[in-house]
Amino acid sequence: MTVKLLSGTQLAATLREELKAEVSQFIDRHQIKPTLAAVLVGNDPASEVYVRNKHRASQSIGMNSQLHRLDSTASMHELLSLVNRLNADPDVHGILVQLPLPKPLDATSVLDSIHPDKDVDAFHPENVGRILQGRPRFLPCTPHGVQQLLIRNSIPISGQHVVIVGRSDIVGKPLAAMLVQRQCGYGPNAVNATVTVCHTGTRNLSEITRSGDILVAAVGQPRFITAEMVRPGATVIDVGINRVGDSLVGDVDFAAVSPIAGALSPVPGGVGPLTIAMLLRNTLVAAQLQATSRAGE
Ligand code: GUN
């Protein structure tokens, strides 16, 4: 069986082109440039790279991007004051606090302090609750990237068994909440899945993963998904990005799984580039929300 490679790099470029046109229309209509404010505390090298990529991608589609840096010794008071200032700034539409935060800063309190209308990560409890209830304000970036990768490759989701390995607040839990919905704006085949969420405490893990029509690996362990965990012909989505020596490897053993899977997303070049594209979409959605609520529409 030849595996179909699900390229996120190519899809992200298409999505950015679509967004660029929408951003241009929005600017013509409102004379407002959608603006994303990223907050970076300290100088974690991986976070520096993420923030730089986000900045470049925003510029490339005609959005504004601000970077607010705080020293790694910044206090909770300083960080919360910055978030409050950005919450109140009408020229800032989306706010992103780059994680992880240096110790002893408390990420939960900081994320809770971001105004829900500017929470482009969709991490605020109000936004998480809305996703669970099927009336999202913002879709969480990585899960939305996974969903788009499936939709745009004509892989049906409705009625399929989606097995997610990993229960994080950023990927596993919100992805399950999205795909289990009865309906969504992307049409009848984009949701309505039967979803199983597995984790480190799951018994008979391989038995369950082998029953997945779509298997999503989001555990954060290099090459965790081996050949015998995959049903022949299944679609396998690898969300992991693990540094092993000098290279980046996914949560899926790519060499072992590619002869078995029907479709497989590579690492790098799979889900990763889509996360940023979806963040930009959320920034446009935030700007649209704020422009219409200001105009009283
Ligand atoms: N650090 C790694 N991934 C993410 C993300 O999606 N959002 C934020 N804010 N920080 C991250």
Side-chain angles (χ1 to χ4, degrees):
M1 189 179 290
T2 25
V3 70
K4 176 180 176 170
L5 276 191
L6 305 174
S7 165
T9 310
Q10 222 173 311
L11 176 55
T14 306
L15 294 171
R16 279 196 303 271
E17 281 310 306
E18 293 174 6
L19 268 171
K20 193 174 179 177
E22 287 181 60
V23 167
S24 162
Q25 276 174 11
F26 176 84
I27 295 173
D28 286 349
R29 175 151 185 230
H30 297 282
Q31 276 73 55
I32 295 169
K33 211 168 183 183
T35 299
L36 172 68
V39 175
L40 179 58
V41 187
N43 39 23
D44 173 67
S47 295
E48 296 268 1
V49 173
Y50 282 133
V51 166
R52 200 178 328 127
N53 289 342
K54 285 166 190 168
H55 177 75
R56 276 201 205 125
S58 333
Q59 307 268 312
S60 78
I61 61 156
M63 284 184 178
N64 270 340
S65 150
Q66 305 176 351
L67 175 57
H68 299 267
R69 301 192 74 119
L70 291 177
D71 197 80
S72 59
T73 57
S75 64
M76 276 300 281
H77 179 74
E78 279 174 273
L79 180 51
L80 292 173
S81 302
L82 172 57
V83 172
N84 285 334
R85 190 155 59 74
L86 297 171
N87 279 340
D89 185 343
D91 294 331
V92 168
H93 306 103
I95 303 171
L96 173 142
V97 175
Q98 185 64 37
L99 302 177
L101 290 172
K103 286 196 174 79
L105 296 173
D106 171 23
T108 304
S109 308
V110 175
L111 298 177
D112 287 0
S113 77
I114 297 173
H115 193 289
D117 286 346
K118 297 191 176 187
D119 169 39
V120 285
D121 265 324
F123 289 165
H124 190 283
E126 182 180 320
N127 287 323
V128 176
R130 293 187 70 109
I131 294 158
L132 203 60
Q133 292 187 340
R135 48 185 187 126
R137 181 183 280 126
F138 301 110
L139 289 174
C141 303
T142 303
H144 194 191
V146 171
Q147 187 191 34
Q148 283 299 314
L149 197 58
L150 295 169
I151 294 172
R152 303 269 185 142
N153 284 283
S154 306
I155 295 168
I157 298 170
S158 180
Q160 301 296 295
H161 185 199
V162 177
V163 176
I164 302 169
V165 188
R167 57 174 149 189
S168 70
D169 289 338
I170 297 185
V171 184
K173 282 193 263 183
L175 179 62
M178 276 172 67
L179 298 187
V180 80
Q181 298 300 325
R182 190 184 297 273
Q183 52 199 4
C184 78
Y186 292 120
N189 239 333
V191 286
N192 201 37
T194 303
V195 182
T196 301
V197 181
C198 304
H199 49 77
T200 43
T202 299
R203 262 190 296 128
N204 304 330
L205 180 61
S206 301
E207 217 170 277
I208 298 171
T209 57
R210 273 183 76 89
S211 74
D213 303 301
I214 299 172
L215 175 59
V216 181
V219 254
Q221 292 190 41
R223 304 186 186 103
F224 182 83
I225 302 292
T226 53
E228 53 285 356
M229 297 171 85
V230 176
R231 166 193 286 192
T235 296
V236 181
I237 306 289
D238 191 348
V239 181
I241 303 178
N242 308 287
R243 185 161 284 285
V244 175
D246 279 344
S247 52
L248 293 178
V249 301
D251 289 354
V252 175
D253 185 338
F254 187 89
V257 168
S258 47
I260 292 170
L264 174 59
S265 72
V267 176
V271 175
L274 297 171
T275 298
I276 293 184
M278 294 311 164
L279 173 74
L280 301 180
R281 168 146 303 283
N282 282 348
T283 306
L284 175 60
V285 169
Q288 281 163 338
L289 269 175
Q290 288 156 52
T292 48
S293 73
R294 226 168 277 152
E297 283 177 29

